[in-house]
Amino acid sequence: MMNALVACIVSAAFAAGSFSAADSPNDQGGAIRLSWSAVGDSVLISSYLVYRSDAPDSGFVPLTEEPSSSSEYTDNSVQDGRPYYYRLDAVSGTDTVRGKVVGPVKSVAQWFNTTRVNILVLTAVISGLFVFYIYRARRGAKMFVRKISGLDAIDEALGRATEMGRPIMFSFGLGYITDMVVIAALPLLRKVAMKSAEYSTRLLVPNSDPIVMTAAQETVKEAYTEMGRPDFYNADNISFLTSDQFGYAAGVDGMILREKPGAIFWLGYFYAESLIMAETGHSVGAIQLAGTTETTQLPFFVAACDYTMIGEEIYAASCYLRPEPVMLGTLKGEDFIRFWLIVLITGTVALGTLATLVSKPAPWLQSVFETVVRWATPAY
């Protein structure tokens, strides 16, 4: 009697089209998705048994046992291009009722994930903006870049160091030449070096990376030559200390205490050594200007330095001093993207608020809001 009743339920659940197997969509292959019409928390069906075989009539081996509330299972142990057959059995206590066999089905890798169309669109828009503004910059179009207040402090700091008869120090921190913030700091070093040549004030550049040191030497040499003071260049003033974090901090601190620079520029990539070096510079009375994209170190620079360029201001400052087309186009493209992100976020918040306020007379607004959120959220 029990087997007959279970058989009736299974027959209803396994009716035509109720159990299917297909390649898992939008993946890299190696997966087949099975789906069936769940019977629910029936007192008669306790679980489902999923079997797999290479042939439709024999060789089925158990894959997994799913609860009666389950309606799908993904087989992640298949080989792409190989045909498989699946069978779904129903279990009720000690009895098992065999279901039908589906297949053959093969798994394949998809070239494109259709659920990530929004990312493709956003990538195309962002890339297009960068290309557009770089193209405009190369064509000589005038683009406004606001002046960074910290740049005004460069002349003040260099003038004060000259009046005091003290040298100038410039540090890239622990950055490498592949770090964008170090590349952005090179034009700032060039400006400082040009002023150094103009005022005949010695410039010290301690480095933690030999390649950065070489780039700094070339930058300073070029600036001195441009100012008509190639004789003022001394490679010993642009030295390599060590790549060790606190070894570098100790070396810079020792140099500060010995040389007592009148102005110090911390522009680059810094970690925990930032406060140690900046405090030492403060103790000798130097005017200090800092700039880094490492947000965890910005509070220390703000506390210990006279002027601080926050986050991407160092990129804007570099672009302001030397408007190279790629940097200028990238900067303008980023600004345009930020503007539209603000518009998108503000508009979405306003739409969500309005949808909540008028949920009864206009329930469709909630659907529109959820559609916008789904589309604009890549991980949604």
Side-chain angles (χ1 to χ4, degrees), residues 170 172 177 182-194 197 203 205 211-227 233 238 322:
F170 192 105
F172 294 99
I177 197 63
V182 173
I183 297 174
L186 285 172
L188 298 172
L189 172 62
R190 181 173 178 274
K191 177 179 176 60
V192 172
M194 293 176 70
L203 173 61
V205 187
I211 300 178
V212 173
M213 179 192 71
T214 304
Q217 288 176 337
E218 292 301 318
T219 301
V220 173
K221 186 187 295 183
E222 179 184 331
Y224 284 175
T225 303
E226 188 173 333
M227 293 299 293
Y233 174 74
I238 305 170
R322 195 170 187 175

PDB file of all heavy atoms in Angstrom, residues 170 172 177 182-194 197 203 205 211-227 233 238 322:
ATOM      1  N   PHE A 170      63.560  65.250   0.149  1.00  0.00           N
ATOM      2  CA  PHE A 170      62.402  64.719  -0.579  1.00  0.00           C
ATOM      3  C   PHE A 170      62.437  63.203  -0.451  1.00  0.00           C
ATOM      4  O   PHE A 170      63.449  62.571  -0.755  1.00  0.00           O
ATOM      5  CB  PHE A 170      62.483  65.124  -2.052  1.00  0.00           C
ATOM      6  CG  PHE A 170      61.224  64.873  -2.836  1.00  0.00           C
ATOM      7  CD1 PHE A 170      60.390  65.923  -3.198  1.00  0.00           C
ATOM      8  CD2 PHE A 170      60.854  63.591  -3.212  1.00  0.00           C
ATOM      9  CE1 PHE A 170      59.232  65.708  -3.919  1.00  0.00           C
ATOM     10  CE2 PHE A 170      59.689  63.353  -3.934  1.00  0.00           C
ATOM     11  CZ  PHE A 170      58.875  64.422  -4.298  1.00  0.00           C
ATOM     12  N   PHE A 172      60.302  59.438  -1.298  1.00  0.00           N
ATOM     13  CA  PHE A 172      59.205  58.696  -1.919  1.00  0.00           C
ATOM     14  C   PHE A 172      58.649  57.623  -0.994  1.00  0.00           C
ATOM     15  O   PHE A 172      57.750  56.877  -1.384  1.00  0.00           O
ATOM     16  CB  PHE A 172      59.689  58.008  -3.199  1.00  0.00           C
ATOM     17  CG  PHE A 172      60.075  58.957  -4.299  1.00  0.00           C
ATOM     18  CD1 PHE A 172      61.411  59.270  -4.517  1.00  0.00           C
ATOM     19  CD2 PHE A 172      59.122  59.527  -5.109  1.00  0.00           C
ATOM     20  CE1 PHE A 172      61.778  60.138  -5.533  1.00  0.00           C
ATOM     21  CE2 PHE A 172      59.475  60.394  -6.130  1.00  0.00           C
ATOM     22  CZ  PHE A 172      60.809  60.702  -6.339  1.00  0.00           C
ATOM     23  N   ILE A 177      58.803  51.914  -8.382  1.00  0.00           N
ATOM     24  CA  ILE A 177      58.575  52.707  -9.581  1.00  0.00           C
ATOM     25  C   ILE A 177      57.280  52.295 -10.278  1.00  0.00           C
ATOM     26  O   ILE A 177      56.739  53.035 -11.102  1.00  0.00           O
ATOM     27  CB  ILE A 177      59.771  52.574 -10.561  1.00  0.00           C
ATOM     28  CG1 ILE A 177      59.750  53.698 -11.593  1.00  0.00           C
ATOM     29  CG2 ILE A 177      59.758  51.194 -11.223  1.00  0.00           C
ATOM     30  CD1 ILE A 177      59.911  55.068 -11.018  1.00  0.00           C
ATOM     31  N   VAL A 182      54.123  56.993  -6.841  1.00  0.00           N
ATOM     32  CA  VAL A 182      55.542  57.345  -7.019  1.00  0.00           C
ATOM     33  C   VAL A 182      55.738  58.028  -8.372  1.00  0.00           C
ATOM     34  O   VAL A 182      56.461  59.027  -8.479  1.00  0.00           O
ATOM     35  CB  VAL A 182      56.414  56.078  -6.901  1.00  0.00           C
ATOM     36  CG1 VAL A 182      57.870  56.399  -7.260  1.00  0.00           C
ATOM     37  CG2 VAL A 182      56.344  55.515  -5.494  1.00  0.00           C
ATOM     38  N   ILE A 183      55.085  57.494  -9.383  1.00  0.00           N
ATOM     39  CA  ILE A 183      55.183  58.125 -10.712  1.00  0.00           C
ATOM     40  C   ILE A 183      54.612  59.548 -10.660  1.00  0.00           C
ATOM     41  O   ILE A 183      55.163  60.483 -11.257  1.00  0.00           O
ATOM     42  CB  ILE A 183      54.428  57.269 -11.747  1.00  0.00           C
ATOM     43  CG1 ILE A 183      55.095  55.895 -11.868  1.00  0.00           C
ATOM     44  CG2 ILE A 183      54.389  57.962 -13.103  1.00  0.00           C
ATOM     45  CD1 ILE A 183      54.344  54.929 -12.760  1.00  0.00           C
ATOM     46  N   ALA A 184      53.497  59.708  -9.927  1.00  0.00           N
ATOM     47  CA  ALA A 184      52.891  61.042  -9.812  1.00  0.00           C
ATOM     48  C   ALA A 184      53.773  61.991  -9.017  1.00  0.00           C
ATOM     49  O   ALA A 184      53.687  63.218  -9.203  1.00  0.00           O
ATOM     50  CB  ALA A 184      51.523  60.927  -9.155  1.00  0.00           C
ATOM     51  N   ALA A 185      54.613  61.447  -8.120  1.00  0.00           N
ATOM     52  CA  ALA A 185      55.470  62.308  -7.293  1.00  0.00           C
ATOM     53  C   ALA A 185      56.698  62.801  -8.059  1.00  0.00           C
ATOM     54  O   ALA A 185      57.318  63.787  -7.640  1.00  0.00           O
ATOM     55  CB  ALA A 185      55.905  61.558  -6.037  1.00  0.00           C
ATOM     56  N   LEU A 186      57.056  62.151  -9.149  1.00  0.00           N
ATOM     57  CA  LEU A 186      58.257  62.564  -9.891  1.00  0.00           C
ATOM     58  C   LEU A 186      58.145  63.995 -10.438  1.00  0.00           C
ATOM     59  O   LEU A 186      59.112  64.762 -10.332  1.00  0.00           O
ATOM     60  CB  LEU A 186      58.543  61.565 -11.018  1.00  0.00           C
ATOM     61  CG  LEU A 186      59.140  60.221 -10.563  1.00  0.00           C
ATOM     62  CD1 LEU A 186      59.200  59.240 -11.718  1.00  0.00           C
ATOM     63  CD2 LEU A 186      60.535  60.440  -9.973  1.00  0.00           C
ATOM     64  N   PRO A 187      57.006  64.405 -11.028  1.00  0.00           N
ATOM     65  CA  PRO A 187      56.906  65.820 -11.447  1.00  0.00           C
ATOM     66  C   PRO A 187      57.023  66.796 -10.283  1.00  0.00           C
ATOM     67  O   PRO A 187      57.524  67.909 -10.452  1.00  0.00           O
ATOM     68  CB  PRO A 187      55.521  65.897 -12.107  1.00  0.00           C
ATOM     69  CG  PRO A 187      55.223  64.505 -12.541  1.00  0.00           C
ATOM     70  CD  PRO A 187      55.835  63.637 -11.491  1.00  0.00           C
ATOM     71  N   LEU A 188      56.549  66.380  -9.095  1.00  0.00           N
ATOM     72  CA  LEU A 188      56.700  67.245  -7.921  1.00  0.00           C
ATOM     73  C   LEU A 188      58.165  67.352  -7.524  1.00  0.00           C
ATOM     74  O   LEU A 188      58.625  68.424  -7.119  1.00  0.00           O
ATOM     75  CB  LEU A 188      55.860  66.684  -6.763  1.00  0.00           C
ATOM     76  CG  LEU A 188      54.353  66.637  -7.030  1.00  0.00           C
ATOM     77  CD1 LEU A 188      53.650  65.886  -5.918  1.00  0.00           C
ATOM     78  CD2 LEU A 188      53.788  68.046  -7.140  1.00  0.00           C
ATOM     79  N   LEU A 189      58.906  66.231  -7.637  1.00  0.00           N
ATOM     80  CA  LEU A 189      60.344  66.286  -7.381  1.00  0.00           C
ATOM     81  C   LEU A 189      61.020  67.211  -8.383  1.00  0.00           C
ATOM     82  O   LEU A 189      61.939  67.970  -8.023  1.00  0.00           O
ATOM     83  CB  LEU A 189      60.941  64.879  -7.468  1.00  0.00           C
ATOM     84  CG  LEU A 189      62.475  64.808  -7.402  1.00  0.00           C
ATOM     85  CD1 LEU A 189      62.979  65.338  -6.064  1.00  0.00           C
ATOM     86  CD2 LEU A 189      62.968  63.383  -7.635  1.00  0.00           C
ATOM     87  N   ARG A 190      60.566  67.163  -9.598  1.00  0.00           N
ATOM     88  CA  ARG A 190      61.156  68.024 -10.640  1.00  0.00           C
ATOM     89  C   ARG A 190      60.962  69.502 -10.292  1.00  0.00           C
ATOM     90  O   ARG A 190      61.884  70.299 -10.412  1.00  0.00           O
ATOM     91  CB  ARG A 190      60.517  67.700 -11.988  1.00  0.00           C
ATOM     92  CG  ARG A 190      61.050  68.496 -13.158  1.00  0.00           C
ATOM     93  CD  ARG A 190      60.460  67.975 -14.454  1.00  0.00           C
ATOM     94  NE  ARG A 190      60.931  68.752 -15.587  1.00  0.00           N
ATOM     95  CZ  ARG A 190      60.370  69.874 -16.010  1.00  0.00           C
ATOM     96  NH1 ARG A 190      59.294  70.340 -15.382  1.00  0.00           N
ATOM     97  NH2 ARG A 190      60.844  70.536 -17.028  1.00  0.00           N
ATOM     98  N   LYS A 191      59.749  69.840  -9.838  1.00  0.00           N
ATOM     99  CA  LYS A 191      59.496  71.236  -9.460  1.00  0.00           C
ATOM    100  C   LYS A 191      60.377  71.649  -8.281  1.00  0.00           C
ATOM    101  O   LYS A 191      60.966  72.745  -8.278  1.00  0.00           O
ATOM    102  CB  LYS A 191      58.020  71.428  -9.091  1.00  0.00           C
ATOM    103  CG  LYS A 191      57.689  72.841  -8.616  1.00  0.00           C
ATOM    104  CD  LYS A 191      56.224  72.988  -8.288  1.00  0.00           C
ATOM    105  CE  LYS A 191      55.934  74.378  -7.709  1.00  0.00           C
ATOM    106  NZ  LYS A 191      56.282  75.483  -8.637  1.00  0.00           N
ATOM    107  N   VAL A 192      60.475  70.762  -7.283  1.00  0.00           N
ATOM    108  CA  VAL A 192      61.318  71.067  -6.127  1.00  0.00           C
ATOM    109  C   VAL A 192      62.777  71.221  -6.557  1.00  0.00           C
ATOM    110  O   VAL A 192      63.489  72.114  -6.093  1.00  0.00           O
ATOM    111  CB  VAL A 192      61.162  69.958  -5.063  1.00  0.00           C
ATOM    112  CG1 VAL A 192      62.180  70.145  -3.941  1.00  0.00           C
ATOM    113  CG2 VAL A 192      59.753  69.960  -4.496  1.00  0.00           C
ATOM    114  N   ALA A 193      63.237  70.357  -7.468  1.00  0.00           N
ATOM    115  CA  ALA A 193      64.631  70.418  -7.925  1.00  0.00           C
ATOM    116  C   ALA A 193      64.900  71.710  -8.695  1.00  0.00           C
ATOM    117  O   ALA A 193      65.981  72.304  -8.561  1.00  0.00           O
ATOM    118  CB  ALA A 193      64.938  69.202  -8.798  1.00  0.00           C
ATOM    119  N   MET A 194      63.934  72.143  -9.483  1.00  0.00           N
ATOM    120  CA  MET A 194      64.125  73.400 -10.228  1.00  0.00           C
ATOM    121  C   MET A 194      64.248  74.578  -9.274  1.00  0.00           C
ATOM    122  O   MET A 194      65.084  75.467  -9.452  1.00  0.00           O
ATOM    123  CB  MET A 194      62.956  73.605 -11.205  1.00  0.00           C
ATOM    124  CG  MET A 194      62.916  72.575 -12.334  1.00  0.00           C
ATOM    125  SD  MET A 194      61.486  72.731 -13.415  1.00  0.00           S
ATOM    126  CE  MET A 194      61.878  74.250 -14.267  1.00  0.00           C
ATOM    127  N   ALA A 197      67.642  74.442  -7.636  1.00  0.00           N
ATOM    128  CA  ALA A 197      68.702  75.004  -8.477  1.00  0.00           C
ATOM    129  C   ALA A 197      68.618  76.526  -8.515  1.00  0.00           C
ATOM    130  O   ALA A 197      69.644  77.219  -8.496  1.00  0.00           O
ATOM    131  CB  ALA A 197      68.576  74.424  -9.890  1.00  0.00           C
ATOM    132  N   LEU A 203      69.608  69.643  -2.326  1.00  0.00           N
ATOM    133  CA  LEU A 203      68.434  68.761  -2.299  1.00  0.00           C
ATOM    134  C   LEU A 203      68.881  67.346  -1.973  1.00  0.00           C
ATOM    135  O   LEU A 203      69.724  66.774  -2.678  1.00  0.00           O
ATOM    136  CB  LEU A 203      67.712  68.777  -3.660  1.00  0.00           C
ATOM    137  CG  LEU A 203      66.562  67.787  -3.840  1.00  0.00           C
ATOM    138  CD1 LEU A 203      65.444  68.050  -2.825  1.00  0.00           C
ATOM    139  CD2 LEU A 203      66.016  67.859  -5.269  1.00  0.00           C
ATOM    140  N   VAL A 205      67.685  63.337  -1.445  1.00  0.00           N
ATOM    141  CA  VAL A 205      66.605  62.397  -1.776  1.00  0.00           C
ATOM    142  C   VAL A 205      67.027  60.994  -1.347  1.00  0.00           C
ATOM    143  O   VAL A 205      67.645  60.254  -2.125  1.00  0.00           O
ATOM    144  CB  VAL A 205      66.268  62.415  -3.279  1.00  0.00           C
ATOM    145  CG1 VAL A 205      65.036  61.549  -3.555  1.00  0.00           C
ATOM    146  CG2 VAL A 205      66.038  63.835  -3.769  1.00  0.00           C
ATOM    147  N   ILE A 211      65.667  51.407  -8.259  1.00  0.00           N
ATOM    148  CA  ILE A 211      65.111  51.896  -9.529  1.00  0.00           C
ATOM    149  C   ILE A 211      64.486  53.279  -9.332  1.00  0.00           C
ATOM    150  O   ILE A 211      64.615  54.168 -10.182  1.00  0.00           O
ATOM    151  CB  ILE A 211      64.076  50.899 -10.077  1.00  0.00           C
ATOM    152  CG1 ILE A 211      64.743  49.544 -10.324  1.00  0.00           C
ATOM    153  CG2 ILE A 211      63.445  51.414 -11.366  1.00  0.00           C
ATOM    154  CD1 ILE A 211      63.802  48.474 -10.821  1.00  0.00           C
ATOM    155  N   VAL A 212      63.814  53.464  -8.198  1.00  0.00           N
ATOM    156  CA  VAL A 212      63.274  54.792  -7.884  1.00  0.00           C
ATOM    157  C   VAL A 212      64.412  55.790  -7.743  1.00  0.00           C
ATOM    158  O   VAL A 212      64.302  56.945  -8.181  1.00  0.00           O
ATOM    159  CB  VAL A 212      62.420  54.726  -6.600  1.00  0.00           C
ATOM    160  CG1 VAL A 212      61.990  56.125  -6.176  1.00  0.00           C
ATOM    161  CG2 VAL A 212      61.195  53.854  -6.819  1.00  0.00           C
ATOM    162  N   MET A 213      65.528  55.342  -7.136  1.00  0.00           N
ATOM    163  CA  MET A 213      66.685  56.231  -6.991  1.00  0.00           C
ATOM    164  C   MET A 213      67.199  56.677  -8.368  1.00  0.00           C
ATOM    165  O   MET A 213      67.496  57.865  -8.578  1.00  0.00           O
ATOM    166  CB  MET A 213      67.803  55.508  -6.243  1.00  0.00           C
ATOM    167  CG  MET A 213      69.059  56.353  -6.056  1.00  0.00           C
ATOM    168  SD  MET A 213      70.475  55.389  -5.498  1.00  0.00           S
ATOM    169  CE  MET A 213      70.832  54.442  -6.982  1.00  0.00           C
ATOM    170  N   THR A 214      67.272  55.735  -9.303  1.00  0.00           N
ATOM    171  CA  THR A 214      67.744  56.080 -10.645  1.00  0.00           C
ATOM    172  C   THR A 214      66.805  57.083 -11.312  1.00  0.00           C
ATOM    173  O   THR A 214      67.252  58.051 -11.944  1.00  0.00           O
ATOM    174  CB  THR A 214      67.848  54.803 -11.505  1.00  0.00           C
ATOM    175  OG1 THR A 214      68.698  53.868 -10.848  1.00  0.00           O
ATOM    176  CG2 THR A 214      68.409  55.117 -12.875  1.00  0.00           C
ATOM    177  N   ALA A 215      65.497  56.848 -11.176  1.00  0.00           N
ATOM    178  CA  ALA A 215      64.522  57.783 -11.755  1.00  0.00           C
ATOM    179  C   ALA A 215      64.642  59.162 -11.112  1.00  0.00           C
ATOM    180  O   ALA A 215      64.548  60.195 -11.796  1.00  0.00           O
ATOM    181  CB  ALA A 215      63.107  57.237 -11.578  1.00  0.00           C
ATOM    182  N   ALA A 216      64.861  59.182  -9.795  1.00  0.00           N
ATOM    183  CA  ALA A 216      65.007  60.462  -9.094  1.00  0.00           C
ATOM    184  C   ALA A 216      66.272  61.183  -9.557  1.00  0.00           C
ATOM    185  O   ALA A 216      66.271  62.411  -9.746  1.00  0.00           O
ATOM    186  CB  ALA A 216      65.045  60.224  -7.587  1.00  0.00           C
ATOM    187  N   GLN A 217      67.361  60.443  -9.738  1.00  0.00           N
ATOM    188  CA  GLN A 217      68.609  61.074 -10.207  1.00  0.00           C
ATOM    189  C   GLN A 217      68.420  61.715 -11.579  1.00  0.00           C
ATOM    190  O   GLN A 217      68.861  62.845 -11.820  1.00  0.00           O
ATOM    191  CB  GLN A 217      69.730  60.024 -10.260  1.00  0.00           C
ATOM    192  CG  GLN A 217      70.233  59.599  -8.884  1.00  0.00           C
ATOM    193  CD  GLN A 217      71.272  58.490  -8.966  1.00  0.00           C
ATOM    194  OE1 GLN A 217      71.327  57.760  -9.952  1.00  0.00           O
ATOM    195  NE2 GLN A 217      72.085  58.372  -7.923  1.00  0.00           N
ATOM    196  N   GLU A 218      67.764  60.989 -12.470  1.00  0.00           N
ATOM    197  CA  GLU A 218      67.542  61.531 -13.811  1.00  0.00           C
ATOM    198  C   GLU A 218      66.625  62.743 -13.773  1.00  0.00           C
ATOM    199  O   GLU A 218      66.810  63.717 -14.512  1.00  0.00           O
ATOM    200  CB  GLU A 218      66.963  60.443 -14.723  1.00  0.00           C
ATOM    201  CG  GLU A 218      67.919  59.315 -15.028  1.00  0.00           C
ATOM    202  CD  GLU A 218      69.187  59.827 -15.721  1.00  0.00           C
ATOM    203  OE1 GLU A 218      69.077  60.686 -16.617  1.00  0.00           O
ATOM    204  OE2 GLU A 218      70.277  59.383 -15.339  1.00  0.00           O
ATOM    205  N   THR A 219      65.608  62.686 -12.920  1.00  0.00           N
ATOM    206  CA  THR A 219      64.676  63.816 -12.804  1.00  0.00           C
ATOM    207  C   THR A 219      65.387  65.063 -12.286  1.00  0.00           C
ATOM    208  O   THR A 219      65.206  66.163 -12.827  1.00  0.00           O
ATOM    209  CB  THR A 219      63.512  63.442 -11.861  1.00  0.00           C
ATOM    210  OG1 THR A 219      62.830  62.300 -12.375  1.00  0.00           O
ATOM    211  CG2 THR A 219      62.530  64.580 -11.727  1.00  0.00           C
ATOM    212  N   VAL A 220      66.184  64.900 -11.255  1.00  0.00           N
ATOM    213  CA  VAL A 220      66.891  66.050 -10.680  1.00  0.00           C
ATOM    214  C   VAL A 220      67.932  66.591 -11.655  1.00  0.00           C
ATOM    215  O   VAL A 220      68.075  67.814 -11.834  1.00  0.00           O
ATOM    216  CB  VAL A 220      67.547  65.637  -9.340  1.00  0.00           C
ATOM    217  CG1 VAL A 220      68.426  66.763  -8.811  1.00  0.00           C
ATOM    218  CG2 VAL A 220      66.474  65.282  -8.321  1.00  0.00           C
ATOM    219  N   LYS A 221      68.647  65.673 -12.302  1.00  0.00           N
ATOM    220  CA  LYS A 221      69.670  66.114 -13.264  1.00  0.00           C
ATOM    221  C   LYS A 221      69.029  66.908 -14.402  1.00  0.00           C
ATOM    222  O   LYS A 221      69.546  67.954 -14.824  1.00  0.00           O
ATOM    223  CB  LYS A 221      70.408  64.897 -13.823  1.00  0.00           C
ATOM    224  CG  LYS A 221      71.588  65.259 -14.735  1.00  0.00           C
ATOM    225  CD  LYS A 221      72.170  64.021 -15.402  1.00  0.00           C
ATOM    226  CE  LYS A 221      72.772  63.084 -14.390  1.00  0.00           C
ATOM    227  NZ  LYS A 221      73.393  61.914 -15.028  1.00  0.00           N
ATOM    228  N   GLU A 222      67.899  66.426 -14.882  1.00  0.00           N
ATOM    229  CA  GLU A 222      67.209  67.126 -15.974  1.00  0.00           C
ATOM    230  C   GLU A 222      66.726  68.504 -15.525  1.00  0.00           C
ATOM    231  O   GLU A 222      66.834  69.495 -16.263  1.00  0.00           O
ATOM    232  CB  GLU A 222      66.020  66.288 -16.441  1.00  0.00           C
ATOM    233  CG  GLU A 222      65.205  66.926 -17.550  1.00  0.00           C
ATOM    234  CD  GLU A 222      63.977  66.095 -17.900  1.00  0.00           C
ATOM    235  OE1 GLU A 222      64.030  64.873 -17.734  1.00  0.00           O
ATOM    236  OE2 GLU A 222      62.977  66.679 -18.316  1.00  0.00           O
ATOM    237  N   ALA A 223      66.193  68.569 -14.283  1.00  0.00           N
ATOM    238  CA  ALA A 223      65.710  69.860 -13.768  1.00  0.00           C
ATOM    239  C   ALA A 223      66.851  70.848 -13.605  1.00  0.00           C
ATOM    240  O   ALA A 223      66.717  72.030 -13.956  1.00  0.00           O
ATOM    241  CB  ALA A 223      65.003  69.635 -12.435  1.00  0.00           C
ATOM    242  N   TYR A 224      67.987  70.388 -13.079  1.00  0.00           N
ATOM    243  CA  TYR A 224      69.133  71.277 -12.910  1.00  0.00           C
ATOM    244  C   TYR A 224      69.632  71.775 -14.271  1.00  0.00           C
ATOM    245  O   TYR A 224      69.985  72.961 -14.425  1.00  0.00           O
ATOM    246  CB  TYR A 224      70.260  70.546 -12.185  1.00  0.00           C
ATOM    247  CG  TYR A 224      70.038  70.374 -10.703  1.00  0.00           C
ATOM    248  CD1 TYR A 224      70.927  69.632  -9.919  1.00  0.00           C
ATOM    249  CD2 TYR A 224      68.945  70.952 -10.063  1.00  0.00           C
ATOM    250  CE1 TYR A 224      70.732  69.471  -8.558  1.00  0.00           C
ATOM    251  CE2 TYR A 224      68.737  70.795  -8.711  1.00  0.00           C
ATOM    252  CZ  TYR A 224      69.630  70.051  -7.960  1.00  0.00           C
ATOM    253  OH  TYR A 224      69.429  69.896  -6.611  1.00  0.00           O
ATOM    254  N   THR A 225      69.673  70.867 -15.250  1.00  0.00           N
ATOM    255  CA  THR A 225      70.135  71.263 -16.588  1.00  0.00           C
ATOM    256  C   THR A 225      69.189  72.281 -17.202  1.00  0.00           C
ATOM    257  O   THR A 225      69.609  73.257 -17.827  1.00  0.00           O
ATOM    258  CB  THR A 225      70.236  70.020 -17.487  1.00  0.00           C
ATOM    259  OG1 THR A 225      71.113  69.067 -16.877  1.00  0.00           O
ATOM    260  CG2 THR A 225      70.771  70.385 -18.864  1.00  0.00           C
ATOM    261  N   GLU A 226      67.890  72.054 -17.018  1.00  0.00           N
ATOM    262  CA  GLU A 226      66.895  72.982 -17.557  1.00  0.00           C
ATOM    263  C   GLU A 226      67.018  74.359 -16.925  1.00  0.00           C
ATOM    264  O   GLU A 226      66.751  75.378 -17.575  1.00  0.00           O
ATOM    265  CB  GLU A 226      65.496  72.412 -17.329  1.00  0.00           C
ATOM    266  CG  GLU A 226      64.391  73.184 -18.019  1.00  0.00           C
ATOM    267  CD  GLU A 226      63.052  72.489 -17.920  1.00  0.00           C
ATOM    268  OE1 GLU A 226      63.044  71.235 -17.800  1.00  0.00           O
ATOM    269  OE2 GLU A 226      62.025  73.183 -17.950  1.00  0.00           O
ATOM    270  N   MET A 227      67.432  74.401 -15.679  1.00  0.00           N
ATOM    271  CA  MET A 227      67.595  75.689 -14.989  1.00  0.00           C
ATOM    272  C   MET A 227      68.972  76.296 -15.225  1.00  0.00           C
ATOM    273  O   MET A 227      69.313  77.326 -14.629  1.00  0.00           O
ATOM    274  CB  MET A 227      67.370  75.500 -13.487  1.00  0.00           C
ATOM    275  CG  MET A 227      65.943  75.127 -13.123  1.00  0.00           C
ATOM    276  SD  MET A 227      64.741  76.387 -13.612  1.00  0.00           S
ATOM    277  CE  MET A 227      65.203  77.733 -12.540  1.00  0.00           C
ATOM    278  N   TYR A 233      74.439  69.588  -9.763  1.00  0.00           N
ATOM    279  CA  TYR A 233      73.986  68.210  -9.531  1.00  0.00           C
ATOM    280  C   TYR A 233      75.070  67.396  -8.851  1.00  0.00           C
ATOM    281  O   TYR A 233      76.232  67.401  -9.270  1.00  0.00           O
ATOM    282  CB  TYR A 233      73.592  67.556 -10.856  1.00  0.00           C
ATOM    283  CG  TYR A 233      73.258  66.098 -10.727  1.00  0.00           C
ATOM    284  CD1 TYR A 233      72.064  65.704 -10.141  1.00  0.00           C
ATOM    285  CD2 TYR A 233      74.138  65.117 -11.175  1.00  0.00           C
ATOM    286  CE1 TYR A 233      71.742  64.363 -10.003  1.00  0.00           C
ATOM    287  CE2 TYR A 233      73.839  63.781 -11.052  1.00  0.00           C
ATOM    288  CZ  TYR A 233      72.634  63.404 -10.458  1.00  0.00           C
ATOM    289  OH  TYR A 233      72.338  62.075 -10.324  1.00  0.00           O
ATOM    290  N   ILE A 238      71.451  61.975  -3.850  1.00  0.00           N
ATOM    291  CA  ILE A 238      70.278  61.140  -4.157  1.00  0.00           C
ATOM    292  C   ILE A 238      70.735  59.704  -3.965  1.00  0.00           C
ATOM    293  O   ILE A 238      71.243  59.055  -4.873  1.00  0.00           O
ATOM    294  CB  ILE A 238      69.785  61.393  -5.586  1.00  0.00           C
ATOM    295  CG1 ILE A 238      69.524  62.884  -5.772  1.00  0.00           C
ATOM    296  CG2 ILE A 238      68.525  60.599  -5.876  1.00  0.00           C
ATOM    297  CD1 ILE A 238      69.272  63.280  -7.196  1.00  0.00           C
ATOM    298  N   ARG A 322      52.511  69.314 -14.528  1.00  0.00           N
ATOM    299  CA  ARG A 322      52.966  68.799 -15.824  1.00  0.00           C
ATOM    300  C   ARG A 322      51.798  68.109 -16.516  1.00  0.00           C
ATOM    301  O   ARG A 322      51.629  66.896 -16.390  1.00  0.00           O
ATOM    302  CB  ARG A 322      54.126  67.820 -15.625  1.00  0.00           C
ATOM    303  CG  ARG A 322      54.871  67.521 -16.915  1.00  0.00           C
ATOM    304  CD  ARG A 322      56.148  66.749 -16.623  1.00  0.00           C
ATOM    305  NE  ARG A 322      56.957  66.585 -17.810  1.00  0.00           N
ATOM    306  CZ  ARG A 322      58.162  66.039 -17.821  1.00  0.00           C
ATOM    307  NH1 ARG A 322      58.676  65.604 -16.697  1.00  0.00           N
ATOM    308  NH2 ARG A 322      58.840  65.928 -18.941  1.00  0.00           N
TER     309      ARG A 322
END
